[in-house]
Amino acid sequence: MDQFAPYPAVRAALAGFSTQLSQMIDLCIQVQQIAAPTDEEDVRAAWVADYLRRLQLAEVSTDGQRNVYARIPGQRATPALFVSAHTDTVFPLATDLTVQVDEAQSRIYGPGIGDNSTGVASLLMLAATLQRLPPPPVDIWLVANSGEEGLGDLRGMKAAVDRLQDCIGACIVIEGMGLKRVVHRGLGSRRFRVTAKAPGGHSWSDFGTASALHVLVQLAAELTQLQPPATPRTTFNIGRFYGGASVNTIAQSAALELDLRSEGPAALQGIVDATLAIVQRYQSTAWQQQGVSVEAVTIGDRPSGEIADDHPLVHAAFRSLAHHNVVANTQMRISSTDANVPLSRGIPAVCIGITEGANAHRLEEWINPALLPVGMQHLLTTTWWAAMWLAGEVK
């Protein structure tokens, strides 16, 4: 980009990524080989912290949420830039993490290779690159955060923004896949676990006694009749349903887990209210007289937020893609990512990808390694431009 004329070293670093493909692939696989289920990111976080310390970055530290922090000192401290990638995956500790390379199709297969081992590896490569460059226009905080997946509820990002929000002016969130997209709208969601308890008993001798499963089946049937608005797009999903002891036991307890999402905060609150109204009907005296109790507990609250399509940070990310000859997907602007947290607090943020791939959250997940150098060019371009923007050097 023309704005980088005062920074010839940045231009040289961008060109240098084209010769570092093997190093990038190795780093992605090294990260991927360290199991890191949500809430069990300790080993991967320790490895990342050690890597950053070996780079001799400033203020490398961890917190109680398994987040790892490091700072690239800039020409001025604030407003700083925050760049992050989540360390957790959806796969249990016992998952076989064997990687398969298909050179003919330019694919690397492996659980979590794209989401988000490639993102973490890219954060580390960015750290190494920035460490070799002159001081950026502002401080850059690099954060490998926990708890993005599943019931992690973005807790790592929430803790990191709590810690740094007084000094940061913008955020860039890295995902391993999705190179062609720029997400700047945070899709809000609420998640509930609805639990039913009842007397239960033997399926023959106690027939007629209230069953927690029967109660919850009726409640779930009502949930499936919810009528969310088409605009803004609003959805619901019962993702899990479990309970009971055996086929011939009247269940004493049962639970379901429900995911509610919406592009609009008011619409999300509307479907939350409708859901809780259904639950409340099963908390009536009539059900209590049968020994039935029903409770809904929040197990996830991902806040929504956004910046406009014409925000300078959004424009910069799209211009970066064009500059590096990537045809952007301009329709993919909303998603549920770590960017939700800063966006919900009024901090400009975008989520960008490093390469393309598919089958996220499946054992056969894969990435296209050939795009890694372009993805790193995109990441460094967007990062350095954002630092310049925060320093008032560009508009």
Side-chain angles (χ1 to χ4, degrees):
M1 288 182 166
D2 292 342
Q3 293 98 328
F4 291 170
Y7 299 100
V10 175
R11 289 178 175 272
L14 289 168
F17 287 128
S18 62
T19 66
Q20 299 178 52
L21 177 58
S22 177
Q23 179 183 345
M24 293 178 199
I25 292 173
D26 289 346
L27 191 53
C28 290
I29 294 174
Q30 285 183 65
V31 175
Q32 185 267 348
Q33 288 293 292
I34 305 169
T38 304
D39 291 333
E40 297 179 273
E41 303 97 336
D42 307 74
V43 176
R44 184 177 286 189
W47 186 89
V48 168
D50 182 63
Y51 192 100
L52 295 173
R53 289 190 182 101
R54 283 186 280 115
L55 291 176
Q56 298 185 334
L57 267 62
E59 297 185 52
V60 177
S61 65
T62 59
D63 66 17
Q65 292 294 339
R66 307 177 185 88
N67 292 329
V68 184
Y69 303 82
R71 182 174 63 90
I72 303 291
Q75 298 172 37
R76 54 188 285 186
T78 59
L81 178 64
F82 179 115
V83 184
S84 71
H86 71 86
T87 55
D88 60 322
T89 76
V90 301
F91 299 99
L93 284 175
T95 303
D96 182 353
L97 299 177
T98 300
V99 168
Q100 295 181 339
V101 179
D102 186 338
E103 293 183 357
Q105 296 190 27
S106 189
R107 292 184 179 183
I108 299 177
Y109 292 86
I113 188 68
D115 186 11
N116 193 32
S117 301
T118 296
V120 175
S122 300
L123 182 74
L124 299 179
M125 180 154 282
L126 177 68
T129 302
L130 292 171
Q131 183 72 331
R132 294 191 297 267
L133 292 174
V138 298
D139 277 5
I140 299 177
W141 281 95
L142 305 174
V143 182
N145 64 278
S146 65
E148 193 273 348
E149 300 287 5
L151 296 179
D153 198 30
L154 308 184
R155 67 173 65 96
M157 190 60 148
K158 290 173 181 175
V161 175
D162 283 346
R163 174 172 171 171
L164 298 173
Q165 68 180 4
D166 290 341
C167 69
I168 57 177
C171 298
I172 297 172
V173 171
I174 309 169
E175 286 285 347
M177 298 188 287
L179 172 61
K180 297 179 180 180
R181 70 178 190 171
V182 177
V183 173
H184 59 93
R185 299 174 60 203
L187 180 63
S189 68
R190 293 281 298 278
R191 292 167 176 171
F192 294 94
R193 181 180 293 116
V194 182
T195 302
K197 295 183 179 180
H202 192 281
S203 63
W204 175 257
S205 59
D206 295 312
F207 179 72
T209 301
S211 163
L213 275 171
H214 290 192
V215 172
L216 210 58
V217 166
Q218 294 177 64
L219 189 153
E222 289 195 42
L223 290 175
T224 65
Q225 300 305 306
L226 289 169
Q227 298 293 320
T231 304
R233 188 179 180 213
T234 304
T235 65
F236 65 87
N237 179 62
I238 299 173
R240 298 183 68 205
F241 198 114
Y242 49 92
S246 70
V247 69
N248 60 334
T249 300
I250 299 172
Q252 288 186 292
S253 64
L256 64 81
E257 292 175 359
L258 176 69
D259 178 79
L260 308 173
R261 302 188 182 214
S262 181
E263 294 179 337
L268 177 60
Q269 188 59 50
I271 197 169
V272 167
D273 292 344
T275 295
L276 295 180
I278 291 172
V279 172
Q280 189 173 19
R281 289 202 290 274
Y282 286 81
Q283 296 172 330
S284 66
T285 302
W287 284 107
Q288 291 173 2
Q289 289 174 344
Q290 297 180 53
V292 172
S293 64
V294 175
E295 181 182 26
V297 176
T298 299
I299 57 174
D301 186 355
R302 295 186 171 217
S304 60
E306 63 181 73
I307 51 177
D309 290 358
D310 60 357
H311 190 280
L313 189 59
V314 177
H315 272 264
F318 277 116
R319 284 201 307 271
S320 172
L321 289 175
H323 181 75
H324 296 297
N325 299 312
V326 177
V327 178
N329 179 348
T330 58
Q331 303 305 310
M332 286 294 294
R333 295 172 179 262
I334 187 168
S335 187
S336 180
T337 72
D338 277 320
N340 284 41
V341 177
L343 287 170
S344 72
R345 302 186 189 186
I347 301 170
V350 292
C351 177
I352 62 176
I354 300 300
T355 185
E356 292 297 332
N359 298 335
H361 296 189
R362 301 180 190 176
L363 295 175
E364 61 272 21
E365 185 174 329
W366 62 267
I367 60 166
N368 179 355
L371 292 174
L372 291 173
V374 175
M376 284 305 307
Q377 290 171 338
H378 174 46
L379 175 58
L380 178 57
T381 297
T382 307
T383 297
W384 200 272
W385 185 95
M388 294 172 64
W389 175 66
L390 288 171
E393 297 180 14
V394 294
K395 296 182 180 181

